[in-house]
Amino acid sequence: MMRIALLTDFGTRDPYVAAMKGVIASRCDAPVHDLTHEIAPHDVLEAAWFLKTVVAWWPRGTIFVCVVDPGVGTDRKIIALEQDEKLFLAPDNGLLTFILPQSPLPATRGEGQGEGHPHSIENESLFLPAASSTFHGRDRFAPVAAALANGLPLAEVGPPLEQLVTLPYTPPSYGEVVRGSIVAIDRFGNAITDIERARIPFDAFALHVRDIVIDRLERTYGGAAPGPFLITGSSGCIEISVANASAADRLHLRRLERVEVWAAESSGT
């Protein structure tokens, strides 16, 4: 059974999410779920990392409708992509950066119909009539999602694309020095990196960010002593935390700030 999952920066106070759900409900019987509508306005990076951390927990057949779209109404494209038997609809603004960390295979005319090949959504017969230039979530994303849930082949939404827009992001590297980035700061102030604990090639290590060195690794938040520490978060990635406080505020951390992980005996020199 197909299901539709919504991710937006619309909030729930305004009528935008309700309008999208109404369009979907009027065109298909697929259940609609809310991933979140609390992405910070226009924050494509936050949406991209959020999507990455939840996709694995959703079943095959899910259509992810992701509308964080500061370029709505411009010549930016809307894309549809199938990956791991899940469908993604998003503006072509980097929101799918972490879903496809490497560039998809080049597509040529008549190709691009399989997994990993994005399509530009251009079939205007799928859109609502008299569509607004400011609300593509309702007028384009929602009816296309409903059509796909009803069985529309992906190739019929529009032509294949050769590549997608990606965020200015450097993936982590794993070697004698592990290098990565802070990619998210959660509501508790934990600074979440993109460095996977399972891929760090040494047991004891220290994380370096600017002139700050943190070498204390804790197993739980509640059992941590005061001060900064490292912890493996629920995503499997290393987080910088402070017991009962915001690490981001305390240490003045920001997203996309680069970090390095050194073996403990190396001490970063």
Side-chain angles (χ1 to χ4, degrees):
M1 177 183 68
M2 302 294 286
R3 57 184 51 78
I4 296 171
L6 303 180
L7 183 157
T8 78
D9 59 352
F10 294 161
T12 54
R13 176 184 180 275
D14 297 311
Y16 309 129
V17 174
M20 287 182 64
K21 289 182 175 181
V23 171
I24 293 169
S26 69
R27 292 181 169 228
C28 73
D29 294 325
V32 179
H33 305 273
D34 298 301
L35 297 180
T36 184
H37 302 294
E38 302 304 326
I39 298 297
H42 319 303
D43 197 331
V44 177
L45 173 61
E46 181 182 358
W49 185 257
F50 185 106
L51 184 64
K52 172 184 169 60
T53 61
V54 302
V55 160
W57 306 104
W58 283 79
R60 294 170 180 171
T62 300
I63 302 171
F64 295 90
V65 182
C66 309
V67 191
V68 178
D69 192 13
V72 62
T74 69
D75 60 359
R76 69 90 184 88
K77 297 182 182 300
I78 300 175
I79 54 178
L81 173 75
E82 184 177 8
Q83 182 77 357
D84 297 329
E85 298 183 45
K86 300 169 186 178
L87 288 171
F88 299 87
L89 306 184
D92 188 18
N93 60 9
L95 204 158
L96 299 184
T97 294
F98 299 119
I99 299 301
L100 282 181
Q102 298 179 349
S103 297
L105 296 174
T108 58
R109 181 171 298 189
E111 296 180 348
Q113 300 180 9
E115 288 211 352
H117 291 279
H119 287 255
S120 177
I121 299 177
E122 300 178 13
N123 183 348
E124 295 188 5
S125 69
L126 302 173
F127 304 158
L128 295 192
S132 164
S133 64
T134 62
F135 196 5
H136 286 181
R138 177 195 65 194
D139 299 340
R140 299 190 179 191
F141 284 88
V144 170
L148 291 168
N150 285 333
L152 180 77
L154 182 62
E156 293 189 21
V157 303
L161 288 171
E162 293 186 1
Q163 61 184 9
L164 302 181
V165 172
T166 57
L167 295 171
Y169 164 76
T170 301
S173 61
Y174 298 87
E176 291 185 2
V177 177
V178 177
R179 294 181 171 88
S181 303
I182 296 172
V183 288
I185 295 172
D186 69 15
R187 65 178 297 173
F188 303 103
N190 299 308
I192 302 166
T193 78
D194 55 2
I195 296 174
E196 299 176 45
R197 174 65 182 92
R199 297 184 63 185
I200 296 176
F202 19 82
D203 294 328
F205 55 84
L207 182 143
H208 298 244
V209 53
R210 301 191 308 273
D211 58 348
I212 303 167
V213 180
I214 307 170
D215 59 5
R216 181 160 58 94
L217 183 65
E218 298 281 1
R219 191 177 65 84
T220 66
Y221 300 109
F229 62 91
L230 306 175
I231 191 168
T232 304
S234 60
S235 66
C237 294
I238 295 295
E239 299 179 7
I240 305 168
S241 299
V242 172
N244 301 315
S246 167
D249 291 344
R250 182 77 59 85
L251 303 176
H252 306 290
L253 302 173
R254 63 185 186 277
R255 289 184 306 165
L256 294 183
E257 191 163 15
R258 297 291 286 170
V259 300
E260 294 184 348
V261 172
W262 295 71
E265 61 271 16
S266 298
S267 68
T269 58

